[in-house]
Amino acid sequence: MFSQAREIAAGDVVIVWFTRESLKAITITPGEELNGRFGAYRHADLIGKPFGSKIGSRNGKGFIYVLRPTPELWTLALPHRTQILYVADIAFV
């Protein structure tokens, strides 16, 4: 799952950096494709590339960075949901 190797391999979890506000955690699976507003990226094209690489899209209109998961990046990549807390309920939290 979390690899210490320098290159990306099948089955590795990577953080895809689209923009400063848009990160996504994916598992590299040959035959699958990551589609976004910046283009399409085949997982097979990511295998063998070093972590931290800048990968251009297949249509040439954008790029992504493929990063090794760290606690900070993992936290940023997770979806954040807002919860409303009421005064009467705060004692239970």
Side-chain angles (χ1 to χ4, degrees):
M1 186 165 141
F2 295 111
S3 173
Q4 294 299 321
R6 298 183 73 130
E7 289 85 26
I8 299 167
D12 283 350
V13 174
V14 299
I15 303 292
V16 178
W17 182 289
F18 294 105
T19 67
R20 208 171 122 201
E21 292 83 24
S22 179
L23 290 94
K24 184 174 184 178
I26 62 169
T27 301
I28 300 298
T29 308
E32 289 194 16
E33 194 171 89
L34 173 66
N35 293 305
R37 71 179 206 199
F38 299 109
Y41 307 90
R42 289 185 184 152
H43 288 212
D45 294 343
L46 304 178
I47 294 174
K49 304 278 185 186
F51 283 99
S53 295
K54 181 178 177 179
I55 309 293
S57 69
R58 294 176 55 215
N59 64 5
K61 294 188 177 187
F63 61 88
I64 58 172
Y65 289 99
V66 185
L67 307 171
R68 183 186 311 275
T70 63
E72 296 141 327
L73 289 175
W74 190 256
T75 302
L76 292 172
L78 292 175
H80 296 87
R81 290 180 275 158
T82 304
Q83 181 176 355
I84 298 171
L85 297 175
Y86 296 101
V87 175
D89 297 330
I90 289 178
F92 294 112
V93 174

